[in-house]
Amino acid sequence: MKLLVTGGAGFIASNYIRHILSTYPDYHIINLDKLTYAGNLENLKDIETSDRYTFIKGDICDGELLRETEFDAIINFAAESHVDRSILDAQPFLQTNVMGTCSLLEIARQRGCTFLHVSTDEVYGSTTEGAFNEASPLLPNSPYAASKASSDLLVRSYVETHNLKAMITRCSNNYGPYQFPEKLIPLVIINALNRNPIPVYGDGMNVRDWIHVTDHCRAVDAVFHNGTTGGIYNIGSRNERQNIEIVNLILSIVAEKFHVEEKVLTNLISYVRDRKGHDRRYAIDPSRIEQEIGWKPDINFEDGIEKTIEWYISNKQWWQRILSGDYMTYYNTQYGERLKT
Ligand code: NAD
Ligand code: TYD
């Protein structure tokens, strides 16, 4: 099986590639990634020399490149993924998330290959009661969420019109190793370690439903193997938390590990102006994937967050190279040299 994984240098897909290579000895992964600011090939340092792994630097919007590339199935993770950036400039979100998905659907249609589209619970908007199921209406509030909802509808149209074997997964907020430090959890960990201010938007009481990235990767793989054509699967681990609760939990773990008074760290919390259109609450009902596919989450949040903090403490160089911008030179030094020989 030659699997085209898009956005493989990002947070979730780099974890996914590692999971697939260690689970299936006969799988070959082709990682197609544009290497935007969020793409970091250092996420895959440990597997980059595997003879079952190929990296292609390129854009999912590039139809010609897709036609030149051989593969049997597509797992589409590539996206502009940060809500705050989509508020500043929505255009790249539409380009990659909508037009890029369209190019991938087109090549999948021509080849007749399976297409798994990785989407998000944010397409459902915000809720005050209960949890989103797959029949909940699409009511995206941010440009990011609107671009993902648009791509989901495009996938649906290829199933209905062309009978494409496509599936959609909609996962809640992920955390774990290799998450880019613009997102809440790595930002709080790193700022706590560096004793920098920790920005909390609004009143800090917005709720997100957190899942460990490894549980998400296992779920995507389970849907790839056992999902039905046109199927939509919510992924979540019934773990709702207020942002301020997460921040305090991280600070208490860091304080304990470094034997510092918790107050020293909680003093870093800085309530800042709220995000525009800030969704109040996400909550996912994962009953369908549990009942129909037999997937369930393995990682309990308290264990997962502690291991994640330990990972960021042990991998200081990884995030320091992001903060300094040095990670962006990795492709040229590693791959540039290799391409020359
Ligand atoms: P990320 O921002 O860490 O990584 C995105 C990757 O896509 C980067 O490597 C980037 O270089 C690449 N990319 C961007 N534009 C591209 C293009 N035009 N062509 C090729 N590659 C391109 O994102 P992430 O957090 O790992 O999210 C991955 C996917 O999962 C996204 O589709 C996102 O919507 C979805 N998702 C994320 C979460 C979450 O909590 N992070 C939750 C649910 C769903
Ligand atoms: P984020 O990690 O950006 O994910 P998303 O917006 O896709 O849910 O943010 C998670 C929550 O944390 C969200 O409610 C916004 C909030 N937040 C802060 O309070 N401060 C921050 O610095 C960031 C990045 C997020």
Side-chain angles (χ1 to χ4, degrees):
M1 169 65 78
K2 265 195 172 170
L3 214 53
L4 179 70
V5 176
T6 70
F11 162 48
I12 302 173
S14 61
N15 279 283
Y16 178 78
I17 290 173
R18 193 171 289 103
H19 173 72
I20 294 297
L21 287 177
S22 63
T23 309
Y24 303 105
D26 54 341
Y27 273 41
H28 188 111
I29 300 277
I30 299 150
N31 171 12
L32 172 63
D33 197 297
K34 187 179 170 183
L35 298 184
T36 67
Y37 79 93
N40 183 357
L41 285 175
E42 296 184 10
N43 296 0
L44 291 161
K45 241 179 182 171
D46 53 331
I47 57 100
E48 69 183 4
T49 55
S50 164
D51 55 7
R52 295 189 291 120
Y53 170 77
T54 308
F55 174 67
I56 301 174
K57 183 175 189 286
D59 194 324
I60 56 168
C61 300
D62 184 347
E64 202 175 310
L65 174 64
L66 295 175
R67 281 190 291 281
E68 286 165 4
T69 310
E70 253 185 68
F71 50 82
D72 304 309
I74 302 175
I75 315 284
N76 182 29
F77 286 94
E80 287 294 337
S81 69
H82 196 205
V83 173
D84 291 327
R85 287 178 188 258
S86 80
I87 295 168
L88 296 174
D89 181 7
Q91 217 279 335
F93 286 75
L94 294 179
Q95 186 59 30
T96 287
N97 301 3
V98 184
M99 298 311 292
T101 301
C102 189
S103 304
L104 292 168
L105 285 165
E106 220 8 67
I107 193 77
R109 178 185 73 79
Q110 287 164 21
R111 305 248 175 109
C113 73
T114 303
F115 184 87
L116 190 148
H117 182 63
V118 178
S119 192
T120 166
D121 61 355
E122 301 193 26
V123 298
Y124 299 119
S126 188
T127 183
T128 47
E129 269 169 39
F132 302 121
N133 62 42
E134 291 81 356
S136 300
L138 298 183
L139 293 168
N141 293 318
S142 70
Y144 162 67
S147 70
K148 294 296 287 188
S150 305
S151 60
D152 287 13
L153 292 177
L154 209 55
V155 174
R156 176 190 149 86
S157 78
Y158 269 68
V159 174
E160 296 298 320
T161 307
H162 301 295
N163 209 15
L164 182 73
K165 184 170 179 346
M167 282 95 59
I168 297 171
T169 56
R170 292 186 181 142
C171 191
S172 61
N173 283 62
N174 284 219
Y175 71 95
Y178 300 104
Q179 186 164 30
F180 199 82
E182 65 186 350
K183 305 281 167 55
L184 180 71
I185 287 183
L187 187 91
V188 173
I189 298 171
I190 291 171
N191 286 11
L193 296 176
N194 282 340
R195 306 285 191 272
N196 280 333
I198 294 168
V200 173
Y201 300 167
D203 62 5
M205 312 251 265
N206 297 62
V207 171
R208 296 293 181 266
D209 192 348
W210 294 92
I211 184 171
H212 194 275
V213 64
T214 307
D215 280 332
H216 182 194
C217 292
R218 285 177 39 254
V220 168
D221 186 43
V223 170
F224 178 67
H225 285 100
N226 303 308
T228 56
T229 295
I232 297 173
Y233 301 90
N234 282 353
I235 303 168
S237 60
R238 296 188 181 85
N239 179 46
E240 289 179 52
R241 310 267 167 161
Q242 287 183 336
N243 292 338
I244 192 64
E245 183 190 341
I246 301 266
V247 171
N248 283 323
L249 177 62
I250 293 171
L251 298 184
S252 73
I253 296 173
V254 173
E256 195 187 306
K257 287 199 186 298
F258 289 91
H259 310 290
V260 291
E261 239 186 277
E262 217 168 307
K263 192 90 191 94
V264 174
L265 299 183
T266 52
N267 279 342
L268 298 171
I269 295 174
S270 160
Y271 285 92
V272 298
R273 192 161 50 138
D274 208 355
R275 174 187 277 173
K276 286 185 186 172
H278 196 176
D279 282 337
R280 194 63 175 166
R281 174 174 171 260
Y282 301 144
I284 272 277
D285 174 2
S287 305
R288 180 175 189 195
I289 187 172
E290 288 173 344
Q291 283 158 21
E292 291 183 22
I293 312 265
W295 170 89
K296 63 173 176 53
D298 271 349
I299 303 175
N300 148 292
F301 187 70
E302 275 68 24
D303 293 344
I305 199 79
E306 177 154 11
K307 294 241 162 57
T308 300
I309 293 169
E310 284 164 2
W311 187 88
Y312 280 86
I313 292 170
S314 318
N315 289 274
K316 207 168 170 183
Q317 210 202 357
W318 177 87
W319 53 262
Q320 281 180 332
R321 283 176 59 77
I322 294 179
L323 299 187
S324 68
D326 287 348
Y327 74 109
M328 288 190 177
T329 62
Y330 188 76
Y331 172 74
N332 289 335
T333 53
Q334 292 294 309
Y335 284 75
E337 284 307 311
R338 234 181 274 166
L339 291 174
K340 271 183 227 148
T341 55

